[in-house]
Amino acid sequence: MRLEHLHYLVCPGCSGDLSVSQTEAGSPESIETGQLKCNSCGNLYPVLRHIPRFVPEKNYAASFGFEWNRHPNTQYDSYSKTQISETRFFEATRWARRLEGQVILEVGSGGGRFTEQAAGTGAMVVSLDYSQAVEANYRFNGHKANVLIVQGDLYAMPFRKKFFDKLFCFGVLQHTPDVQKAFLCLPLFLKPGGQLAIDVYKRKWWRYLLVTRYWIRWLTRHIPPETLYKMCDKYVRGMWPLVNFIHRLPGGMYINWALLIREYRDLYPLTEEQLKEWAVLDTFDGLSAYYDKPQKLSTVQQWFEESGLINTEVHYGHNGIEGRGEKPAEMKKK
Ligand SMILES: C[S@@+](CC[C@H](N)C(=O)[O-])C[C@H]1O[C@@H](n2cnc3c(N)ncnc32)[C@H](O)[C@@H]1O
C-alpha cells in the first residue's frame, strides 16, 4: 500500500489513526509487508502482499476468495472486450463519467471488475472485500495511484465515518449474515451530500420453488470450494452441447438455469468460450456462497426509509433490486 493512502484508514476497533509500526519489505513510498498500529488502542494490523488486512485469513467468504482468484479477469470489460460491467456500473449508480477530486468507497469488490470502472472516473477509489479476492483485485488495479485495496469486513470497516463522497456495494448484501444490518452500516461512511448505490438479489415467492440452486445449496455450500469448482467445471463443460440445444427451445435459457447452468447467450455479447467461462463461474457462485438471502422490493424500500437517506430510488434492475440515495446535511438517524 502507498504510504500516501494511510490517511484513508483508521482502526476498525476504536477509529483511532494508524501509523506504520514495521516495514519488512517495500520502498520509502509503499509497504509490501509490514504492520500498522493504532495510535489510540495499540491494535496491530498486518500489511501482506501490499494489502492492509483487518480480518482473519479464514472467514465465511472463503468461497469468494477461491472464486475470484480462479476467475480473476473473466468479468472484466478490459478482458472480455465488452461493456457489461461499465453499463451496469453507470446505470446502477447514475454517477458522472468523470469524478476527479472525489473519494469513492467500494464495499465487496470481489475480483475488482467494478473497481476498474470506478477508478476509470479519475476518483480516488478505496476498495474493500472480506475475502482473499483482494489478491485478484490487487493484481489488476493495485498498481493504480488512485486505488487502495483493503481486506476488511463491512460490519467493521477501517474507515472514517462521514468521509466518502460516494459509496457503492454491488452483488454483496445478500451474501452477508444479516442483510439489513449490513445495509445500514453503509450510509454512516458517507459525508453529507454523499451518494449511495447498492443492489441485492430479489426475492419472489416462486424463487425458492423454481430457482433450483436453492434446493441443493444447503449441501453444496459445505463442499470445499476446490472440489465444488471441479464438479461445476466438469458439469457445465460436459453439458454444453445439450445447453446449446436446449437454448433453442422456447424458454430454453430458463430451462438451462433450472439445470443449474447460468448461460447468458441472449443477454451478453460473449464468445462461445467466454459464455462457458461465465457459466462455470456463476454456476459455482450460486452453489458455493455461504449466505444467499434475496430480499423483497418492499423490504429494501423500508431500509432506505429507515436509513434517513433522501432522494431515494428503489427498483428492479440489473442484478435484482437496485437502490440509490443521498445523505442529507443532517441525518435523521445514525
Ligand atoms: C458475488 S461477490 C461480488 C463481487 C463484486 N462486487 C462483483 O459484483 O463482481 C460478493 C463479494 O462480497 C464479499 N463480502 C461478503 N461478505 C462481506 C463482508 N462482510 N465484508 C466485505 N465484503 C464481503 C465477498 O468476499 C465477495 O467478494
Side-chain angles (χ1 to χ4, degrees):
M1 64 167 284
R2 289 178 174 75
L3 289 178
E4 67 189 23
H5 290 163
L6 186 60
H7 72 281
Y8 291 112
L9 299 172
V10 295
C11 174
C14 73
S15 299
D17 288 343
L18 301 178
S19 53
V20 179
S21 62
Q22 196 185 324
T23 307
E24 281 171 33
S27 67
E29 296 85 42
S30 78
I31 316 172
E32 182 181 341
T33 312
Q35 193 166 254
L36 306 177
K37 183 174 181 181
C38 173
N39 297 341
S40 301
C41 70
N43 274 356
L44 299 173
Y45 303 101
V47 178
L48 296 173
R49 297 178 289 284
H50 305 277
I51 302 168
R53 319 272 176 161
F54 296 90
V55 287
E57 203 154 316
K58 288 208 165 121
N59 56 54
Y60 72 77
S63 69
F64 286 114
F66 176 87
E67 169 179 327
W68 295 120
N69 281 293
R70 187 66 189 70
H71 282 271
N73 50 14
T74 300
Q75 296 185 332
Y76 270 71
D77 283 358
S78 52
Y79 172 77
S80 65
K81 305 287 178 245
T82 65
Q83 294 180 316
I84 297 168
S85 298
E86 179 186 339
T87 305
R88 181 166 151 202
F89 180 78
F90 286 104
E91 286 184 359
T93 60
R94 311 236 169 120
W95 295 342
R97 296 270 166 167
R98 300 306 314 162
L99 293 168
E100 282 93 350
Q102 302 211 8
V103 189
I104 299 178
L105 175 57
E106 174 181 23
V107 178
S109 62
R113 61 170 158 157
F114 296 120
T115 315
E116 177 178 60
Q117 300 303 324
T121 65
M124 173 68 204
V125 180
V126 179
S127 185
L128 170 125
D129 198 281
Y130 200 20
S131 73
Q132 295 292 334
V134 290
E135 309 281 347
N137 196 356
Y138 189 87
R139 284 203 291 283
F140 285 91
N141 294 301
H143 64 283
K144 298 173 184 168
N146 64 331
V147 172
L148 166 63
I149 293 164
V150 179
Q151 189 175 8
D153 182 2
L154 69 73
Y155 292 110
M157 291 201 272
F159 308 124
R160 289 173 215 288
K161 300 217 168 96
K162 302 183 181 177
F163 182 82
F164 293 91
D165 297 286
K166 295 191 163 34
L167 189 159
F168 71 98
C169 181
F170 291 159
V172 178
L173 292 171
Q174 64 272 351
H175 296 308
T176 60
D178 183 336
V179 186
Q180 178 179 17
K181 185 174 164 200
F183 170 81
L184 291 171
C185 286
L186 304 177
L188 305 175
F189 292 84
L190 284 172
K191 60 164 67 156
Q195 293 174 320
L196 175 76
I198 61 109
D199 67 21
V200 63
Y201 288 172
K202 64 173 176 249
R203 178 171 154 195
K204 298 271 190 182
W205 65 267
W206 45 261
R207 211 172 154 85
Y208 291 105
L209 283 179
L210 297 185
V211 183
T212 43
R213 73 170 188 272
Y214 291 111
W215 302 358
I216 56 169
R217 273 186 37 75
W218 61 272
L219 174 67
T220 55
R221 71 185 186 136
H222 296 293
I223 300 176
E226 295 80 0
T227 310
L228 181 63
Y229 182 83
K230 276 187 201 148
M231 290 162 70
C232 292
D233 188 58
K234 229 175 167 176
Y235 176 61
V236 170
R237 290 181 189 278
M239 286 281 284
W240 203 251
L242 186 61
V243 165
N244 282 340
F245 172 76
I246 291 174
H247 183 87
R248 291 195 285 272
L249 303 175
M253 184 176 80
Y254 296 105
I255 300 174
N256 282 327
W257 290 9
L259 291 170
L260 299 172
I261 296 177
R262 304 289 294 182
E263 58 102 344
Y264 299 119
R265 190 178 294 280
D266 287 344
L267 303 181
Y268 301 140
L270 298 167
T271 65
E272 195 65 19
E273 188 46 41
Q274 286 172 336
L275 283 168
K276 273 189 236 174
E277 210 177 312
W278 283 57
V280 173
L281 166 63
D282 273 0
T283 300
F284 174 80
D285 182 284
L287 296 176
S288 60
Y290 196 77
Y291 298 106
D292 186 332
K293 302 178 171 189
Q295 302 295 318
K296 287 195 214 155
L297 188 71
S298 56
T299 307
V300 182
Q301 280 164 337
Q302 170 92 26
W303 296 345
F304 268 85
E305 271 165 38
E306 281 172 28
S307 71
L309 295 168
I310 56 170
N311 300 328
T312 59
E313 285 177 88
V314 178
H315 54 81
Y316 294 119
H318 284 273
N319 199 31
I321 299 166
E322 288 175 5
R324 286 174 297 280
E326 196 175 306
K327 192 156 175 179
E330 283 299 324
M331 288 289 284
K332 285 183 211 136
K333 194 172 172 190
K334 297 229 168 75

